[in-house]
Amino acid sequence: MKFFFLLFSLFSATITHAEEIDYTSLVNPFIGTSKDGTTYPGAVAPFGMLQWSPDTGDRIGGYLYEDTQIRGFSLYRVSGTGGLHGQDLPFMPTFGPLDRSPVYHKYAYASNFAHTNERASPGQYQVHLDDTGIDVDLAVTTRSGIGSFHFPAGRDAAMVLYPTGRIGEVYESRFVIDPSQRKISGYSFGSGADNGYALYVVAEFDQDFSSFGFWRGEERLDGLKEAVGKDIAAWLRFDTRHQQRVQMRVGISYVSLANAEENLRAEISDWNQAALKEKTRSAWNSILSRIAIKGGTHDQRVMFYTALYHASLNPNIFNDVNGQYMDMDDKVQAIEPGHNKYVNYSLWDVYRTIPQLQALLQPAVTSDMVRSLLLDSQQCQGGGLPIFGVLNSAPGIMCGYPADPFMASAFAFGARDFDVKAVHQKMVETAMNQMPCGPNGGAWWHQDDYKKGYVAHESTEWGSISYNIEYAVADFAVAMMSAAVGDQAQYDYFLRRSQNWRNLFNPAVGFMQERYRNGNWVPHFSPTGTEGYMEGNAIQQSLMVPHNIAGVLNQTQKHHPIEPQLDRFFSQILTSGWPTDQPYYWAGNEPMIGMPWYYNWLQKPWKTQEIVSRTREQAFTNKPDGLPGNDDLGTMSAWYIFAALGLYPEIPGVAGFSVHAPLFPDARITLGDGRTLDIRTGTADTRNLYIQSLDVNGTPHSSTWLPLEKLLSRDHNTLVYALGPSTHSSWGTAPGDTPPSFDERGENAQRVHGMEAAGLGTPKESFDRDIQTVTKSRQLSYTYPSVTSVNAYTITAGWDAAQLRSWRVLGTHDGVNWVTLDTRTVGGFSPQETRSFALISCDSYSSYRLELDGEPEIAEWALYDRPLNRTAYVSTSTSSSQTSEGSRVFPVTVPKTGIYALRVRYAVDTGDAIVRVSINDQDTGTYTWPRAYSYREADAGLHALKAGENTIKLVSSSQDVSVEKLILIAQDPVNPLYFEAERNKSAILRQS
């Protein structure tokens, strides 16, 4: 296979002076704060440790746009998750009597507010509190911030700090008020990680305290300077008769109070909030300017830059300025100088889009993310990789082993500054052993079942199919990293194991279905039932095999046509709610976000372009409810970025894009190494959805797959799309234009074919038509009532499929003299896999026999008699050159790209000849030709040829073979059965 691990270098010269644009003005942090988005509008720096944002209730992210009250401004949260977490150490300014304890009453000092008096932009947040007349202005850098609070004039201004405002239980809090230093400092330790976590804070003010104290429970303790307990809160009074503005600066740490103060001193040396805002605005612009777009509507530009903003909020820097951080075993560690330790990964979500995007734009940052995951595994009890990282813990949320595709994709797209061999070793180790990450952490569960072929129904209470699918994706990621370090044995092993999804694919229903350990299917299957699936059903998730899309489409197509199924699936785009029982595209949930590109594998790219366009328009808007579901730490936002650019990283761990039409007429991406890529369409007409042609660096590119290596030839690169309103374009529709799929043999081992959907029909003979019954007989034969032409056959492996690698098909008229019709050697089957093969024969026979080498286990052998549809076009070639002993090369020219049957007119008088055929230096199969004293024709398979000149090479085992001529017979129309059939031994050629 060809390894796709090359840095993606991008873009050239139509957009200039990006540094003069304030991209933060095009960010709307309120997008996603309504309904299911669960984002927050508060102040945060890129990947910042501190998220200073309003709390409107016990909300995911702390904020819901529909709420009308703010009860505090807390210091920690995560963006776009599906679970409650954070809201630690809320500070709440108030004006009036402090007559109610907030310890058990989170809304004790809440105030109404209106969105008309609320503003947010990257790094800052402002709001007017209606009930108390206070103006709040927050600004932050990575670990610290300055809050400015404009109170009414009077003696009743106050700041309340109540640790019990957090989500979850408080185990202990301890705070000290130092009026001489105008400071309150301390920590709160509570639930939310394996063993809980502590957040330390130092808060300083620019005005004296007129009074101060604590609450313990309901009791107010005036003048108390220190309090410890799980039920405490603090208050500070200010006299604002002469100076109404009170400023507060905070620093935080997860290690110690001393580190929190050191963070504050290192990042903020004065009270200049305007300078702090400018510093963080500049940091955000340095990220947002990496992709400069032109054109589109104002709302589309805002949606785009808000998506890039949201995709750069998580994971979060966890180390202090001195490098210290708390590890998975609650021990203090130090990161290497020049690097950062990152936490908070919803890996099941983010592996699909985030590492690819960030590795392109910020490879050093992304490399630190991979370093962090490796450190987590090395510093935790159990030695496993995180599945869902939350601060310094790794709860086993969701399924699979998503750290593997995260790290493999980061590497593939350019993040390389980490110990690749150590990462690979950890991936292999955790894939072969059940190793949790921490005492309550997740692991690669169900090892015993999965190593035998699939996760059984009995193994888990929820989602056995989803586990199986995600483990297959993780296996593929391990295979890709094995290729990167040159470990061929591990590459082969994990590539084979990545096909375990097949073992839950039930050909009787055409979907993946739960299975018992004894091999029986769990009964009462429904395509919209959620049994076996996490957050979805069979229609929504059964096709989620991103590394072998052609394979899973082929498996489905054996039961029913796949294209109509996809058409029905995309007839509705669901953008809200929890539609796990619906047969439609749920645009807001990760397992299916890559499915719009499946039409590229079906050679129907215009349908991909339509659905991506519809999803961009319907699911992503410049409104508070403008995200189609949880943003999941930027996953959906990163999806939108790729969807808008015309490039989608479909296959985890593989450096390339499935191509569609961009949204903007002009975009420039600047990579971390300074290289650029310009994407141009030359049109702003929204009716021009369909690609008519594509040029890469001035060279036509017809494939719907764009490998990153094709973009590495220059420092400044260009993608030029010609778009139009018509679907009647031939771009991307040729057999060789489809993206790659990977089965156990490697890249491009599968292509989508038609089979029954193309009208193959019921086989004339199929052994016993029950794939559950198997045989180890080395011969299977069938006799027809009369002479019959057989043009195709299928073989279905049993459960023990490893030895099913080579065989012959023979025919006879009289039952005595058998003629070899087909000889095959393949790369091995997966359990119960079915493959189809063409049988081009000039004659018909009454009996056919399958002779198998070794003792393979076979479930079915089916014969078909559909005739070939040939055109009158016949190309002959008699010119050849002898390149070596027993080898001849024939130049042939064909008028169009397509599938051709190859026949050879030959003679040999010393016995049967074994001849290897190669097309354009690609081996396509080996054929056995019987002894022939005079010239006769022999079949040499079906092959894909490109328009124009091709080179056909014949290498014979016998020097006595004489070749008179070659005959090429065009198959018209292209029959997808025979295209797929010969894929098992022919390398389909691509036009470059």
Side-chain angles (χ1 to χ4, degrees):
M1 68 168 280
K2 181 186 295 179
F3 299 146
F4 285 101
F5 300 106
L6 298 174
L7 258 174
F8 185 28
S9 77
L10 302 172
F11 287 38
S12 119
T14 58
I15 299 176
T16 57
H17 308 300
E19 68 279 358
E20 299 176 2
I21 301 173
D22 180 12
Y23 290 95
T24 65
S25 67
L26 292 170
V27 173
N28 177 7
F30 292 103
I31 292 175
T33 59
S34 176
K35 295 186 178 178
D36 302 321
T38 68
T39 61
Y40 61 85
V44 61
F47 308 107
M49 177 188 289
L50 173 63
Q51 305 89 35
W52 205 353
S53 186
D55 303 321
T56 64
D58 285 351
R59 305 296 190 187
I60 301 173
Y63 183 95
L64 185 66
Y65 194 81
E66 288 78 4
D67 290 338
T68 59
Q69 287 188 314
I70 291 174
R71 70 185 194 193
F73 299 89
S74 61
L75 307 180
Y76 166 63
R77 72 211 64 235
V78 179
S79 178
T81 66
L84 287 168
H85 179 64
Q87 294 178 239
D88 292 82
L89 299 180
F91 287 84
M92 185 63 189
T94 189
F95 193 85
L98 299 173
D99 55 3
R100 192 177 185 192
S101 169
V103 171
Y104 303 122
H105 309 285
K106 293 183 178 182
Y107 290 88
Y109 297 98
S111 173
N112 288 294
F113 76 106
H115 295 303
T116 53
N117 296 321
E118 188 182 28
R119 300 286 183 273
S121 65
Q124 54 187 291
Y125 172 85
Q126 298 89 33
V127 69
H128 178 76
L129 302 178
D130 293 341
D131 295 353
T132 53
I134 300 170
D135 290 318
V136 177
D137 189 351
L138 307 177
V140 302
T141 184
T142 302
R143 305 168 184 85
S144 54
I146 295 177
S148 177
F149 306 92
H150 192 278
F151 291 92
R155 299 176 182 269
D156 293 331
M159 181 65 70
V160 173
L161 166 61
Y162 62 111
T164 55
R166 76 191 301 275
I167 300 296
E169 183 181 355
V170 174
Y171 301 146
E172 180 183 88
S173 295
R174 179 182 183 132
F175 283 90
V176 175
I177 298 171
D178 185 347
S180 65
Q181 298 295 318
R182 302 171 175 173
K183 179 168 73 174
I184 181 171
S185 59
Y187 68 86
S188 181
F189 175 63
S191 63
D194 283 348
N195 301 312
Y197 64 92
L199 180 59
Y200 298 85
V201 64
V202 173
E204 300 174 340
F205 297 83
D206 68 346
Q207 284 203 42
D208 292 334
F209 307 150
S210 58
S211 59
F212 53 85
F214 286 91
W215 284 278
R216 178 171 286 112
E218 301 290 348
E219 182 184 8
R220 194 177 106 174
L221 303 169
D222 295 2
L224 190 67
K225 292 185 178 181
E226 182 174 352
V228 180
K230 62 170 59 178
D231 58 349
I232 65 170
W235 55 271
L236 310 168
R237 280 280 194 197
F238 303 93
D239 186 342
T240 57
R241 288 175 297 172
H242 305 294
Q243 174 56 267
Q244 292 177 253
R245 188 182 75 163
V246 176
Q247 289 200 107
M248 165 186 169
R249 59 189 183 192
V250 300
I252 66 169
S253 168
Y254 290 91
V255 174
S256 68
L257 200 58
N259 281 12
E261 186 149 5
E262 185 178 358
N263 290 341
L264 176 59
R265 297 284 174 263
E267 295 184 349
I268 301 176
S269 60
D270 54 30
W271 294 96
N272 191 339
Q273 190 188 50
L276 183 66
K277 288 180 179 180
E278 177 59 28
K279 176 183 177 181
T280 305
R281 185 187 72 84
S282 178
W284 274 114
N285 270 326
S286 70
I287 292 175
L288 300 175
S289 63
R290 297 270 178 178
I291 309 179
I293 57 173
K294 281 186 176 180
T297 66
H298 173 74
D299 283 349
Q300 288 170 338
R301 293 192 295 275
V302 169
M303 185 66 241
F304 183 87
Y305 284 108
T306 303
L308 187 51
Y309 165 79
H310 279 147
S312 304
L313 295 177
N314 301 104
N316 303 107
I317 292 172
F318 196 53
N319 58 286
D320 297 322
V321 293
N322 62 10
Q324 291 184 338
Y325 65 92
M326 195 69 71
D327 75 7
M328 287 280 181
D329 203 22
D330 290 324
K331 297 176 182 176
V332 177
Q333 303 282 357
I335 195 75
E336 293 179 55
H339 297 278
N340 284 312
K341 174 68 170 68
Y342 287 87
V343 295
N344 297 330
Y345 304 78
S346 62
L347 288 163
W348 183 80
D349 306 301
V350 299
Y351 84 75
R352 305 166 205 267
T353 58
I354 288 292
Q356 298 88 336
L357 176 68
Q358 295 300 350
L360 293 174
L361 302 182
Q362 302 185 86
V365 170
T366 313
S367 294
D368 278 356
M369 295 175 187
V370 176
R371 283 171 174 256
S372 297
L373 292 172
L374 181 61
L375 285 171
D376 287 341
S377 70
Q378 294 169 338
Q379 296 168 355
C380 73
Q381 298 179 41
L385 288 160
I387 289 178
F388 192 116
V390 178
L391 297 177
N392 62 322
S393 69
I397 299 174
M398 303 311 295
C399 64
Y401 214 62
D404 289 347
F406 183 97
M407 295 189 296
S409 292
F411 180 86
F413 282 80
R416 305 292 176 82
D417 187 16
F418 55 88
D419 189 335
V420 178
K421 290 186 177 180
V423 166
H424 171 251
Q425 181 179 356
K426 179 61 68 173
M427 292 169 76
V428 171
E429 184 183 16
T430 52
M432 298 301 293
N433 302 281
Q434 196 161 288
M435 302 170 63
C437 184
N440 301 308
W444 193 310
W445 306 119
H446 323 299
Q447 287 277 357
D448 291 341
D449 276 349
Y450 186 71
K451 287 177 182 176
K452 294 177 182 177
Y454 60 91
V455 177
H457 169 74
E458 301 96 319
S459 297
T460 177
E461 295 180 359
W462 183 39
S464 65
I465 299 172
S466 294
Y467 271 104
N468 209 72
I469 291 172
E470 293 291 349
Y471 286 152
V473 173
D475 277 335
F476 181 74
V478 180
M480 295 298 99
M481 289 301 286
S482 299
V485 300
D487 190 333
Q488 186 68 43
Q490 297 291 4
Y491 168 76
D492 291 340
Y493 173 78
F494 284 102
L495 196 61
R496 285 195 304 270
R497 213 172 77 165
S498 73
Q499 309 308 313
N500 274 359
W501 61 270
R502 288 193 181 113
N503 300 329
L504 287 183
F505 202 101
N506 185 352
V509 300
F511 295 97
M512 292 192 200
Q513 182 177 347
E514 284 195 290
R515 200 166 201 166
Y516 295 116
R517 286 196 178 102
N518 63 9
N520 293 333
W521 301 104
V522 175
H524 311 301
F525 172 80
S526 168
T528 55
T530 59
E531 294 80 8
Y533 292 93
M534 282 191 179
E535 300 185 0
N537 58 61
I539 291 178
Q540 292 176 337
Q541 295 187 21
S542 188
L543 299 177
M544 203 219 88
V545 186
H547 56 287
N548 194 358
I549 290 173
V552 73
L553 296 181
N554 280 332
Q555 289 287 84
T556 305
Q557 189 124 283
K558 293 172 185 177
H559 181 270
H560 57 266
I562 186 60
E563 188 175 351
Q565 176 185 321
L566 288 175
D567 291 344
R568 289 190 298 271
F569 178 70
F570 287 111
S571 64
Q572 291 188 37
I573 297 177
L574 308 177
T575 61
S576 62
W578 192 249
T580 57
D581 60 349
Q582 297 297 306
Y584 304 114
Y585 174 44
W586 183 7
N589 203 28
E590 278 73 14
M592 61 207 79
I593 60 175
M595 289 181 63
W597 286 268
Y598 280 25
Y599 287 108
N600 282 348
W601 274 259
L602 295 177
Q603 299 163 234
K604 302 292 177 64
W606 62 90
K607 290 191 175 184
T608 283
Q609 293 153 36
E610 286 177 351
I611 291 159
V612 173
S613 176
R614 283 171 52 208
T615 305
R616 285 189 311 230
E617 181 178 348
Q618 296 177 24
F620 296 85
T621 62
N622 182 19
K623 297 177 181 178
D625 63 351
L627 293 177
N630 302 151
D631 198 36
D632 287 317
L633 286 76
T635 303
M636 300 309 303
S637 289
W639 183 98
Y640 182 83
I641 293 166
F642 286 122
L645 292 174
L647 304 166
Y648 188 75
E650 183 72 50
I651 308 175
V654 176
F657 292 116
S658 193
V659 178
H660 60 282
L663 173 62
F664 299 103
D666 227 326
R668 167 174 284 187
I669 303 176
T670 302
L671 298 201
D673 63 1
R675 292 173 175 167
T676 60
L677 171 65
D678 285 340
I679 303 176
R680 307 171 190 161
T681 69
T683 177
D685 192 335
T686 57
R687 294 171 298 179
N688 294 328
L689 297 179
Y690 306 106
I691 300 173
Q692 311 299 302
S693 66
L694 174 64
D695 284 357
V696 180
N697 289 327
T699 301
H701 183 81
S702 65
S703 174
T704 55
W705 179 258
L706 184 54
L708 302 193
E709 60 187 349
K710 193 160 187 176
L711 300 172
L712 286 174
S713 58
R714 306 176 184 180
D715 290 339
H716 304 290
N717 302 274
T718 58
L719 296 179
V720 179
Y721 292 79
L723 303 182
S726 174
T727 62
H728 301 299
S729 169
S730 62
W731 181 86
T733 62
D737 289 341
T738 58
S741 292
F742 298 78
D743 70 3
E744 64 276 7
R745 292 159 296 176
E747 179 201 348
N748 287 350
Q750 297 264 359
R751 294 292 183 189
V752 181
H753 60 92
M755 229 172 95
E756 285 85 354
L760 187 61
T762 303
K764 286 293 183 181
E765 201 282 330
S766 63
F767 191 26
D768 64 357
R769 303 190 186 184
D770 182 359
I771 66 170
Q772 299 299 323
T773 59
V774 299
T775 182
K776 286 197 173 183
S777 172
R778 297 183 64 180
Q779 287 191 5
L780 295 173
S781 61
Y782 183 74
T783 300
Y784 285 96
S786 60
V787 173
T788 303
S789 174
V790 172
N791 299 122
Y793 64 94
T794 61
I795 290 179
T796 302
W799 281 102
D800 183 8
Q803 293 190 53
L804 184 50
R805 293 180 176 274
S806 60
W807 62 86
R808 291 157 301 286
V809 177
L810 303 92
T812 183
H813 293 292
D814 55 14
V816 177
N817 299 301
W818 290 86
V819 178
T820 301
L821 308 176
D822 193 31
T823 300
R824 301 280 173 159
T825 299
V826 300
F829 281 66
S830 294
Q832 293 201 316
E833 178 189 3
T834 299
R835 297 187 195 168
S836 56
F837 304 89
L839 193 63
I840 306 172
S841 177
C842 299
D843 206 347
S844 300
Y845 300 91
S846 57
S847 296
Y848 292 84
R849 186 167 74 206
L850 175 67
E851 294 181 353
L852 298 146
D853 296 327
E855 294 185 356
E857 191 175 78
I858 184 170
E860 291 296 307
W861 178 46
L863 306 177
Y864 297 83
D865 64 352
R866 175 174 177 159
L868 289 172
N869 182 4
R870 296 188 171 115
T871 64
Y873 171 72
V874 177
S875 173
T876 63
S877 177
T878 58
S879 173
S880 70
S881 61
Q882 187 162 344
T883 59
S884 62
E885 190 175 41
S887 302
R888 285 197 172 276
V889 175
F890 293 79
V892 297
T893 301
V894 295
K896 63 179 181 178
T897 298
I899 306 301
Y900 293 81
L902 173 62
R903 297 181 65 77
V904 179
R905 188 165 175 81
Y906 77 99
V908 57
D909 60 5
T910 58
D912 293 352
I914 300 174
V915 180
R916 188 172 75 251
V917 178
S918 65
I919 308 291
N920 297 335
D921 296 323
Q922 297 283 331
D923 284 345
T924 62
T926 301
Y927 303 86
T928 300
W929 296 341
R931 175 184 294 179
Y933 295 104
S934 60
Y935 283 108
R936 61 175 291 182
E937 288 183 11
D939 299 303
L942 288 166
H943 308 275
L945 301 181
K946 59 185 179 181
E949 184 171 304
N950 298 262
T951 300
I952 299 177
K953 182 179 180 181
L954 305 179
V955 181
S956 173
S957 62
S958 171
Q959 298 182 36
D960 296 327
V961 175
S962 174
V963 176
E964 183 182 44
K965 67 178 177 179
L966 304 184
I967 303 172
L968 291 170
I969 307 171
Q971 308 298 295
D972 190 13
V974 173
N975 186 324
L977 164 69
Y978 300 111
F979 173 49
E980 165 61 19
E982 291 301 312
R983 280 301 302 123
N984 289 285
K985 68 179 201 178
S986 300
I988 291 300
L989 306 174
R990 291 189 183 180
Q991 289 179 285
S992 60

